[in-house]
Amino acid sequence: GAGVSQSPSNKVTEKGKDVELRCDPISGHTALYWYRQRLGQGLEFLIYFQGNSAPDKSGLPSDRFSAERTGESVSTLTIQRTQQEDSAVYLCASSLQGAGGYTFGSGTRLTVV
Amino acid sequence: TQLLEQSPQFLSIQEGENLTVYCNSSSVFSSLQWYRQEPGEGPVLLVTVVTGGEVKKLKRLTFQFGDARKDSSLHITAAQPGDTGLYLCAGRYGNNRLAFGKGNQVVVIP
């Protein structure tokens, strides 16, 4: 597709359940980022993938969070044993080789009840 | 942690008025970007500024990068309702990462 696609667009889950969020970046974009946006807050960096390099996981808030990327394509962000404070919009972005501007997806709005 | 402070957090103005919002940091960035985000959507890149003192214009929007590359401003001339949105500044640092501010929420009333 022409843009960054994220699915699902909305997810409501019960506390303690695991969730998996998906991101399809723009074809040819080697860099992929996950950010979290809580209500009234800025974008919080979670993880960065660049080509075949080891991912920069320094923003993951706890070991309940993990992410994978298959080559230079799809990425999944997994949150295990969800907590209410995990409720937020999770945004994925991609860019050419990590330089230039990011192209963001529309995000996944996660609500933990 | 690269901290960017955006002010004012919220601004409501009448159509046709001018406005300026600010993005400040104690850190130096190799470049700074401005994005606009509308409800239910991801941020969309407006501009990238690289050189200290640089000024870029995008129709009625004027972006300036501070001489020391620590701060930036966005000026909108004759604001239109379509300018309503959350304006986010983001500074590039380190390993090609962006640090984002919390945003300037702008509402233009028809």
Side-chain angles (χ1 to χ4, degrees):
Chain A
V4 176
S5 177
Q6 291 189 245
S7 61
S9 55
N10 282 284
K11 176 72 176 178
V12 179
T13 190
E14 292 182 352
K15 178 180 173 181
K17 299 284 189 182
D18 298 352
V19 295
E20 192 171 277
L21 313 180
R22 177 187 169 104
C23 173
D24 280 281
I26 292 174
S27 178
H29 279 193
T30 58
L32 185 147
Y33 308 80
W34 283 98
Y35 282 82
R36 179 169 68 177
Q37 187 175 31
R38 290 173 164 154
L39 189 64
Q41 300 297 313
L43 274 67
E44 176 187 0
F45 169 77
L46 296 178
I47 189 168
Y48 163 40
F49 295 91
Q50 173 60 61
N52 295 319
S53 301
D56 177 352
K57 303 180 180 181
S58 59
L60 295 178
S62 76
D63 59 8
R64 296 186 295 105
F65 288 72
S66 63
E68 293 184 348
R69 186 181 187 192
T70 307
E72 295 183 354
S73 60
V74 172
S75 176
T76 56
L77 176 69
T78 301
I79 308 173
Q80 295 178 309
R81 305 181 302 282
T82 52
Q83 304 295 313
Q84 287 186 330
E85 62 263 27
D86 299 334
S87 296
V89 175
Y90 289 82
L91 290 162
C92 174
S94 69
S95 71
L96 280 171
Q97 299 177 341
Y102 292 4
T103 301
F104 281 89
S106 295
T108 294
R109 179 175 298 278
L110 176 66
T111 304
V112 182
V113 298
Chain B
T1 301
Q2 313 293 322
L3 187 63
L4 289 106
E5 299 280 352
Q6 292 191 243
S7 61
Q9 289 186 7
F10 181 84
L11 183 60
S12 177
I13 62 169
Q14 294 290 327
E15 180 177 359
E17 293 182 341
N18 302 332
L19 68 97
T20 302
V21 294
Y22 301 91
C23 171
N24 295 291
S25 177
S26 58
S27 301
V28 176
F29 297 101
S30 58
S31 65
L32 193 140
Q33 298 178 342
W34 283 90
Y35 292 78
R36 181 167 66 209
Q37 184 178 24
E38 299 187 16
E41 299 295 327
V44 175
L45 179 66
L46 297 175
V47 77
T48 301
V49 286
V50 179
T51 306
E54 182 176 3
V55 176
K56 279 194 173 178
K57 292 191 175 184
L58 183 66
K59 296 183 180 178
R60 293 174 294 97
L61 278 60
T62 301
F63 304 85
Q64 183 160 9
F65 200 12
D67 291 342
R69 291 186 290 128
K70 293 182 179 182
D71 52 78
S72 181
S73 63
L74 160 59
H75 180 79
I76 302 178
T77 303
Q80 303 295 311
D83 297 326
T84 293
L86 179 67
Y87 289 83
L88 294 160
C89 69
R92 185 178 296 281
Y93 69 100
N95 185 22
N96 276 320
R97 284 177 41 183
L98 287 180
F100 284 83
K102 293 184 180 181
N104 309 103
Q105 179 64 56
V106 173
V107 175
V108 182
I109 301 167

